[in-house]
Amino acid sequence: MLQYNRPTLSENENFRVLQCSVFRVLRLLFCLERNRHFFRRLFPSEFYEKFIDIGHYVHELQAYTTLVDSYRHIIETTPKDTVQSCWDTSDQQRDPIAVIGQYEVIEQLGSGAFGCVYRVHKKIINSAHKTSAPTYALKEIFMLQEDESNVDKSYGDIISEVRIIKQQLRHPNIVRYRRVFVENHKLYIVMDLVEGASLRDHINSVKEKNETFTEVRIWNIVIQVIFEFLLSA
């Protein structure tokens, strides 16, 4: 219904009220943290930021009219295949795009000069249980060595360090390491998947509202970045 783009229908006031009601329900579902990763994949980033900015538990339908107009603009200006692909990514029953070790790759979350990060879950024989399967972040690290004789030693050193981190670092605010393994000359680290908006999402959202970060919030972000740097160093 959100994709419906017949001019005669989109200009109908009752239909606009219905669309606002749909977005209100979606925003209510977004309040439940376990649902948020679906919306992050479902909506384009700019629209996702506006969706977040509505706030939790806003009852007035008028507050959702900007979302209706923005989404209508997206439907009108974005190729149909692109819009459909956004909806398809939320389908938890779809086939994996790849298989790495014991894990099925759902999607690629990011990439850099030294590797990639994927959203994965363990291989499941019964497809009916896919929706309940826990998802993880699988970090793929490219091991580049000029001296091939040092490759095995490098793998061993990193695996030992990750195992130490896994055993000793147990804190609710630190991402938990689950497993480390080597396959096809690449190192893989299985970690808990942290859902939610990225730092860029938060910065863009604050910028659009002509606001600034409070000092407390800035320090919270800096501390998290330092932790991430120390754990990945």
Side-chain angles (χ1 to χ4, degrees):
M1 188 198 72
L2 293 176
Q3 298 187 65
Y4 211 74
N5 194 32
R6 285 174 53 186
T8 55
L9 190 57
S10 60
E11 296 296 337
N12 185 290
E13 186 60 29
N14 290 332
F15 184 69
R16 284 177 59 83
V17 171
L18 179 59
Q19 287 183 307
C20 288
S21 299
V22 170
F23 277 118
R24 182 170 63 182
V25 172
L26 292 176
R27 194 59 181 78
L28 178 62
L29 292 173
F30 181 82
C31 295
L32 302 176
E33 190 170 347
R34 66 176 180 271
N35 295 327
R36 293 181 183 176
H37 62 282
F38 291 109
F39 293 94
R40 185 67 181 87
R41 300 198 301 272
L42 186 63
F43 295 138
S45 58
E46 292 183 3
F47 182 84
Y48 180 69
E49 293 164 9
K50 295 178 181 178
F51 185 77
I52 292 176
D53 289 342
I54 291 294
H56 293 335
Y57 310 111
V58 177
H59 181 73
E60 294 78 9
L61 283 178
Q62 186 66 26
Y64 299 88
T65 56
T66 55
L67 290 182
V68 172
D69 294 336
S70 296
Y71 203 80
R72 178 184 173 186
H73 177 72
I74 291 173
I75 298 301
E76 292 175 345
T77 58
T78 305
K80 184 178 179 180
D81 291 343
T82 302
V83 175
Q84 187 62 47
S85 67
C86 290
W87 286 84
D88 290 342
T89 56
S90 63
D91 181 8
Q92 297 300 292
Q93 299 293 334
R94 70 186 188 280
D95 294 332
I97 61 175
V99 176
I100 301 175
Q102 303 176 10
Y103 301 90
E104 295 180 339
V105 178
I106 303 172
E107 63 177 323
Q108 180 176 308
L109 298 176
S111 62
F114 300 102
C116 301
V117 180
Y118 304 100
R119 180 193 300 272
V120 302
H121 56 59
K122 280 194 172 183
K123 290 180 183 177
I124 299 175
I125 298 177
N126 187 349
S127 60
H129 297 297
K130 279 189 177 182
T131 54
S132 60
T135 55
Y136 302 99
L138 180 65
K139 182 175 289 188
E140 178 185 68
I141 301 175
F142 307 140
M143 299 295 291
L144 302 177
Q145 291 282 350
E146 295 182 1
D147 186 356
E148 291 294 331
S149 62
N150 291 329
V151 172
D152 290 339
K153 183 179 184 300
S154 297
Y155 281 142
D157 291 343
I158 295 176
I159 290 174
S160 297
E161 289 186 18
V162 172
R163 285 175 176 167
I164 291 173
I165 293 174
K166 176 183 175 182
Q167 294 171 0
Q168 296 184 357
L169 285 182
R170 295 292 181 89
H171 190 278
N173 294 333
I174 297 178
V175 177
R176 186 175 177 183
Y177 284 40
R178 296 288 181 172
R179 184 175 172 234
V180 57
F181 63 94
V182 175
E183 183 169 304
N184 295 328
H185 305 291
K186 295 177 183 177
L187 181 71
Y188 293 95
I189 301 175
V190 183
M191 310 164 63
D192 283 350
L193 179 63
V194 179
E195 304 284 4
S198 67
L199 177 57
R200 177 177 294 178
D201 292 332
H202 286 291
I203 292 175
N204 289 338
S205 177
V206 169
K207 184 178 179 180
E208 285 186 358
K209 292 184 289 186
N210 293 320
E211 297 179 354
T212 58
F213 286 112
T214 64
E215 183 176 351
V216 172
R217 191 174 181 186
I218 291 174
W219 275 113
N220 285 336
I221 293 172
V222 170
I223 291 171
Q224 292 180 55
V225 171
I226 292 174
F227 262 118
E228 176 64 23
F229 174 77
L230 292 176
L231 290 175
S232 61

